[in-house]
Amino acid sequence: MVPEESAAGRVTRSLRQRLLTGELKPGAPLSQSRIAAEYGVSRMPARDALQVLAAEGLVDLDAFTAVVRGLSITELQELYELREAVEPVLTRIAVPNVGRAEVAQMTTLIEGMESNPPAVDWLAANATFHALVYSRADRARMIELTEQLRRLTDRYVYLHVGVFGDTDHIHEEHRQILHAVRNGDAAGAAELTRLHIATSHEFILRYLLEHEHMPLGHGKGNRATQSR
Amino acid sequence: MVPEESAAGRVTRSLRQRLLTGELKPGAPLSQSRIAAEYGVSRMPARDALQVLAAEGLVDLDAFTAVVRGLSITELQELYELREAVEPVLTRIAVPNVGRAEVAQMTTLIEGMESNPPAVDWLAANATFHALVYSRADRARMIELTEQLRRLTDRYVYLHVGVFGDTDHIHEEHRQILHAVRNGDAAGAAELTRLHIATSHEFILRYLLEHEHMPLGHGKGNRATQSR
DNA sequence: GATTATAAATCGGTATACGGATGGACCGTA
DNA sequence: TACGGTCCATCCGTATACCGATTTATAATC
């Protein structure tokens, strides 16, 4: 039974990618007709895609015509606050269930990250590293929320920063987390995870405040799951 | 400029209500055509509504035909864990901005709740009480998430409990929270909020485990924001 | 030239129509 | 009666068409 991805699914994934990489810039209008023409489909799959992406917070449907949604600094902060609240919980729940297989994979990922410069696939490896822990928590909803939040913050990172803080420090934090996880220290791993997120939060916030391009737009219109 | 609600919006709100009150029971199929006929509209608004409700976690689109989504006990626990993680953060951020007006409204709400028996509008008053604090936090995304989580848990509450625990205790907790808020004790209010949620979490969980109807269904298919 | 009136283009919401897929009922056969 | 196959009803995804609303371009007037 092959998935047989629908046209709407294709458009959704492609648009999401283009939004996350910044090819589609905040404020740009997203007309159903234009998207439909671009992908050689009718307006309906385009419409579906926009609705899904709006629910994910990447698109704003409040305007007359849908627009690429930007992140204000307040919203970025909000996303990190949510991550700091949720991911430690996930860690604490997951740690008792993490086995040797995950630890081995995490070790491999760490080594890969330490020998490669930070880039797009570095971000992916980083995401996988943490997701490996979370996957053992049996908390589907939290995991989904976490992935969504991570996507949104990562977007901000490699759109406007592209620079990473003290990578040695990041690697050190990863090693500490892995150590706590291996020892079954749930509370310790949770707190280390919180600190890990807080660190990059502070770094990015400081970076953005210094380089005050005020780069992304006007964080208005937050009713993402609205039905117009 | 009157909102001029769209047909899709009408259907969405009505279906949401029917889902939350339990008129539509978990596992029941939701055919686009049937909904369309029922509301006297075409399939398109019905389709839109189902997609929005799926993003909210009330409907499961993974099945061949959409079905009303139930909550397993694990999922209910997950929702409460999320609330315990997020709402204290919201409280801590909001408390410094809460003014006299909100305190007055909260006092009125408390008095109303204390003199009325717990019922549907009691739940609404309770929600408003907490929302009054949160509204001063300038965290639109968190607020939206919180409201969504509360809707999902409330649904469970008045579907299968309909009974409230020690209401005197709840009122006491409310008074303590209000007291902390009035005094600008952000950390205290946050911790009281966490306890407040944890208390009803425990109560409901215990109630459900005792009356093991295993009432709602099979918590499978969590990919809510999927595009099929 | 500036402003207002007007016409054309664009857009989103919705209705209807078509095709492919799925599930089940019905029927014939062993 | 049990089994297998065919037919049909139903469902969804998608395409196309229509409509009102909004924006933009254009023309007319002061």
Side-chain angles (χ1 to χ4, degrees):
Chain A
M1 205 201 279
V2 189
E4 282 283 346
E5 192 174 30
S6 67
R10 266 188 18 244
V11 176
T12 305
R13 276 195 309 110
S14 171
L15 279 181
R16 186 188 290 121
Q17 189 66 21
R18 295 169 66 189
L19 287 164
L20 294 178
T21 59
E23 180 189 333
L24 297 170
K25 289 190 173 41
L30 293 171
S31 138
Q32 293 178 2
S33 330
R34 205 182 319 278
I35 294 170
E38 195 167 340
Y39 285 93
V41 296
S42 87
R43 268 177 50 213
M44 290 303 122
R47 179 185 168 81
D48 287 356
L50 287 177
Q51 228 153 344
V52 171
L53 295 172
E56 292 179 11
L58 289 169
V59 162
D60 193 350
L61 289 185
D62 282 1
F64 175 59
T65 170
V67 296
V68 181
R69 183 167 169 187
L71 287 178
S72 68
I73 288 196
T74 299
E75 281 174 302
L76 179 68
Q77 181 155 356
E78 188 173 5
L79 294 176
Y80 270 105
E81 285 165 350
L82 276 171
R83 293 188 57 182
E84 287 177 44
V86 174
E87 298 194 33
V89 175
L90 218 34
T91 302
R92 182 169 40 73
I93 298 172
V95 163
N97 302 324
V98 175
R100 277 202 211 91
E102 288 84 17
V103 170
Q105 288 183 65
M106 288 169 75
T107 307
T108 306
L109 283 168
I110 281 189
E111 287 164 358
M113 280 188 278
E114 286 179 352
S115 53
N116 284 22
V120 171
D121 35 346
W122 189 94
L123 270 177
N126 180 53
T128 307
F129 174 82
H130 296 291
L132 265 172
V133 179
Y134 304 156
S135 68
R136 306 309 310 266
D138 185 31
R139 292 293 189 277
R141 205 160 214 132
M142 278 194 208
I143 290 175
E144 181 159 343
L145 175 63
T146 295
E147 282 178 1
Q148 193 171 316
L149 293 171
R150 186 189 46 71
R151 268 206 300 268
L152 290 171
T153 50
D154 276 1
R155 171 195 187 203
Y156 206 96
V157 170
Y158 70 14
L159 271 188
H160 299 87
V161 182
V163 186
F164 291 80
D166 186 348
T167 51
D168 288 345
H169 190 235
I170 295 179
H171 295 146
E172 175 58 24
E173 288 178 344
H174 279 169
R175 292 222 167 259
Q176 287 180 9
I177 291 173
L178 179 56
H179 187 260
V181 168
R182 193 191 305 124
N183 289 3
D185 177 8
E191 174 61 10
L192 288 169
T193 300
R194 198 190 60 74
L195 283 173
H196 183 55
I197 298 169
T199 300
S200 59
H201 178 184
E202 280 172 28
F203 174 77
I204 292 177
L205 205 61
R206 183 150 28 87
Y207 181 93
L208 289 177
L209 289 176
E210 284 171 6
H211 306 63
E212 192 141 1
H213 302 297
M214 193 56 70
L216 285 191
H218 48 63
K220 59 148 203 152
N222 276 74
R223 299 282 303 106
T225 61
Q226 187 165 323
S227 48
R228 306 173 78 137
Chain B
M1 204 201 277
V2 190
E4 280 284 344
E5 193 173 29
S6 66
R10 265 188 18 245
V11 176
T12 304
R13 277 196 308 113
S14 171
L15 279 182
R16 187 188 291 122
Q17 189 65 20
R18 295 169 66 188
L19 287 165
L20 294 179
T21 58
E23 180 188 332
L24 296 171
K25 290 190 172 40
L30 293 170
S31 139
Q32 294 178 2
S33 330
R34 205 183 320 279
I35 294 170
E38 194 166 342
Y39 286 94
V41 297
S42 88
R43 269 178 49 217
M44 291 303 124
R47 179 185 169 80
D48 286 356
L50 287 178
Q51 225 153 346
V52 170
L53 296 171
E56 292 180 12
L58 289 169
V59 162
D60 193 351
L61 290 184
D62 282 1
F64 176 57
T65 169
V67 297
V68 181
R69 183 166 171 189
L71 287 178
S72 67
I73 289 198
T74 299
E75 281 173 302
L76 180 68
Q77 180 155 356
E78 188 174 5
L79 294 176
Y80 270 104
E81 286 164 351
L82 276 171
R83 291 187 59 181
E84 287 178 44
V86 174
E87 296 193 34
V89 175
L90 218 34
T91 302
R92 184 169 39 72
I93 297 172
V95 163
N97 302 324
V98 175
R100 277 201 212 93
E102 287 85 16
V103 170
Q105 286 183 67
M106 289 168 73
T107 307
T108 306
L109 283 168
I110 281 188
E111 287 164 358
M113 280 188 277
E114 285 178 352
S115 53
N116 285 22
V120 172
D121 35 345
W122 188 94
L123 271 177
N126 181 52
T128 308
F129 174 82
H130 296 291
L132 265 172
V133 179
Y134 304 156
S135 68
R136 305 311 308 268
D138 184 31
R139 293 291 189 277
R141 203 160 216 134
M142 277 195 209
I143 290 175
E144 181 158 344
L145 175 64
T146 295
E147 283 178 1
Q148 193 171 314
L149 294 171
R150 184 188 48 71
R151 268 206 300 266
L152 291 171
T153 51
D154 275 1
R155 170 196 186 199
Y156 208 96
V157 170
Y158 71 10
L159 271 188
H160 298 86
V161 182
V163 187
F164 292 81
D166 186 348
T167 51
D168 288 346
H169 190 234
I170 294 179
H171 295 146
E172 174 59 23
E173 288 178 345
H174 280 169
R175 292 222 168 260
Q176 287 179 9
I177 291 174
L178 179 57
H179 187 261
V181 168
R182 192 191 307 123
N183 289 2
D185 177 9
E191 174 60 11
L192 288 170
T193 300
R194 197 190 61 75
L195 283 173
H196 183 54
I197 298 169
T199 299
S200 57
H201 178 183
E202 280 171 28
F203 174 77
I204 292 177
L205 205 61
R206 183 150 27 86
Y207 181 92
L208 289 176
L209 289 176
E210 284 171 7
H211 307 63
E212 193 139 2
H213 303 297
M214 193 56 71
L216 285 190
H218 48 60
K220 58 150 203 151
N222 276 77
R223 300 281 303 105
T225 61
Q226 187 166 320
S227 47
R228 306 173 78 142

